[in-house]
Amino acid sequence: MPASHTIRRRGGIVLALAAAAALALSACSSTSDPSASSSTSGEAADFGEVSVQYSWIKNEEFAGEFYAYENGYYDEAGFSNVVGVAGPDTGVAKLLSGSVQFALTDAASVGAAVAEQDAPLKIIATTFQKNPFTILSLKDGADIATPEDLIGKKIGVQDSNASVFKALLAANGITEDQLTIVPVDFDPTPLMNGDVDGFMAYLTNEAITVEMAGYDVTNLAYAENGLPYVAESYAVTDDYLANNKDLIKAFLIAEIKGWTDTFTQPIDDTVALVTKYYNESASAGDLTFGPLDPPKVKAGLEAQAKLISTEETEANGLFTISDDLKSQTLASLKASGWELTADQLFDTTIIDEIYAENPDLKSYLP
């Protein structure tokens, strides 16, 4: 049976990165049996509390994390509490300020910080082997099917996605003065109303929302247009990585177990679980977009599975990043103007060790 626990989430959401360092994270309470997890020395693990910045609101994008809560995987790993902080947020500023210990983010956001600011950050694992970013348009509207189609158009871009959109432009030799960037939030209504020609979106989220509203859509997927980099990636600071190897390993194992459940449990059960945690987040005052639509959640989970379960993860395990995928990511960032080496951006030693020591963790059903 899952360990019982109660989760209290912070109220509200802070979007401005400048305010991130001042954010006070609220506590959660959770019962835990530290003896259920052991450190490498054979002693009972007691890792205390950690905080994780989510890149987005608490919807199906974090189904694996919800299973880790629900089925007690964090407790078994030796954590008294894991605080999931609702986004949207790249997590970069909060990692650097020490407000959170882990961030679920993307290679462009981390790569830009490392290249431009020499930020001491590393990507240690990744949920999505392929990033889900897209420029969404209406087929009977602008029908943006190629990067060149962006020229002369009005494109709605959210503040937290600005660096990611700039990366797409740079990778395809397009300058910002060749189009109009329109500030928007995450509701795609401006696209459906014709206020913008294209809309920065997720293949796993807004693209589905607009389709389910009855529109034929065109997706300009980043991964197919010069930017096949990893996303929903686990990032930590260099210092935290150097000093907390056992903790990080335990955390990632709990995450692997949680995400394995998204593949092995009935999808309707996962939809119900996502709805439960989304509603709790809404009650805490986090950013939401009204009641969840179960068919939309199901479609989102199915779309995510295609980005998570690939030939590489089937061979190597969830969250792994192959040398080839690292090279593709680095090439994507270089095309965007950020030239980095694998050692500057990645350290996947721990995720590789996890599977070397626990080969049974690969046995999920994609």
Side-chain angles (χ1 to χ4, degrees):
M1 294 292 291
S4 61
H5 59 281
T6 303
I7 304 163
R8 291 187 286 113
R9 295 178 175 82
R10 67 183 180 87
I13 182 166
V14 180
L15 295 178
L17 291 179
L23 179 67
L25 299 176
S26 64
C28 305
S29 62
S30 172
T31 60
S32 175
D33 178 11
S35 65
S37 177
S38 297
S39 67
T40 55
S41 66
E43 299 176 354
D46 183 6
F47 296 121
E49 177 176 296
V50 295
S51 297
V52 186
Q53 177 64 55
Y54 294 171
S55 61
W56 184 232
I57 63 174
K58 293 179 178 178
N59 66 355
E60 62 271 13
E61 197 167 324
F62 307 100
E65 282 71 37
F66 301 153
Y67 270 118
Y69 282 119
E70 195 74 6
N71 292 337
Y73 300 140
Y74 293 137
D75 298 324
E76 292 170 5
F79 294 99
S80 62
N81 191 22
V82 174
V83 183
V85 184
D89 199 312
T90 67
V92 169
K94 290 179 183 176
L95 284 173
L96 296 175
S97 72
S99 298
V100 299
Q101 288 71 54
F102 297 90
L104 286 163
T105 184
D106 65 274
S109 296
V110 177
V114 174
E116 295 177 0
Q117 305 167 30
D118 198 26
L121 301 173
K122 290 290 185 297
I123 290 174
I124 58 172
T126 195
T127 310
F128 292 163
Q129 296 275 302
K130 299 177 181 178
N131 75 76
F133 299 122
T134 185
I135 299 301
L136 180 67
S137 61
L138 304 183
K139 194 169 290 292
D140 61 358
D143 193 25
I144 300 171
T146 70
E148 291 72 25
D149 293 338
L150 291 167
I151 297 173
K153 302 298 194 302
K154 293 186 293 184
I155 309 298
V157 180
Q158 305 81 11
D159 286 345
S160 61
N161 284 327
S163 63
V164 176
F165 181 65
K166 290 178 182 179
L168 177 70
L169 297 182
N172 290 280
I174 300 171
T175 58
E176 291 184 43
D177 61 4
Q178 291 181 282
L179 48 84
T180 302
I181 297 175
V182 180
V184 295
D185 60 21
F186 296 91
D187 181 350
T189 298
L191 176 67
M192 294 184 282
N193 286 345
D195 298 326
V196 295
D197 300 307
F199 186 87
M200 174 77 194
Y202 264 45
L203 292 166
T204 55
N205 194 340
E206 296 89 355
I208 297 171
T209 298
V210 176
E211 275 194 295
M212 293 185 74
Y215 295 88
D216 290 330
V217 303
T218 300
N219 280 293
L220 181 69
Y222 282 43
E224 297 171 7
N225 290 278
L227 296 176
Y229 59 79
V230 296
E232 211 66 83
S233 303
Y234 296 85
V236 297
T237 65
D238 290 351
D239 181 70
Y240 198 75
L241 178 60
N243 293 294
N244 296 278
K245 179 179 177 180
D246 288 346
L247 182 156
I248 293 170
K249 184 176 291 187
F251 175 76
L252 288 176
I253 288 173
E255 292 280 306
I256 290 167
K257 291 177 179 179
W259 276 103
T260 295
D261 286 350
T262 69
F263 291 101
T264 58
Q265 299 304 307
I267 194 166
D268 288 342
D269 290 354
T270 305
V271 171
L273 182 68
V274 168
T275 302
K276 170 187 171 181
Y277 280 81
Y278 176 89
N279 289 341
E280 288 181 5
S281 184
S283 296
D286 292 332
L287 175 67
T288 58
F289 296 99
L292 286 184
D293 178 28
K296 162 67 168 38
V297 174
K298 184 175 181 179
L301 289 166
E302 292 170 342
Q304 285 180 181
K306 297 176 183 178
L307 304 175
I308 298 170
S309 179
T310 66
E311 290 183 2
E312 290 193 359
T313 54
E314 289 175 31
N316 303 322
L318 292 174
F319 303 166
T320 53
I321 310 175
S322 68
D323 289 342
D324 183 54
L325 187 53
K326 290 177 185 177
S327 295
Q328 291 180 42
T329 297
L330 294 169
S332 297
L333 298 183
K334 183 177 180 179
S336 305
W338 303 310
E339 188 161 2
L340 296 165
T341 66
D343 288 342
Q344 287 177 300
L345 185 62
F346 298 103
D347 188 330
T348 55
T349 304
I350 291 178
I351 193 69
D352 294 338
E353 286 182 0
I354 286 172
Y355 286 109
E357 297 167 0
N358 306 276
D360 58 304
L361 286 176
K362 291 183 183 179
S363 60
Y364 69 97
L365 300 175

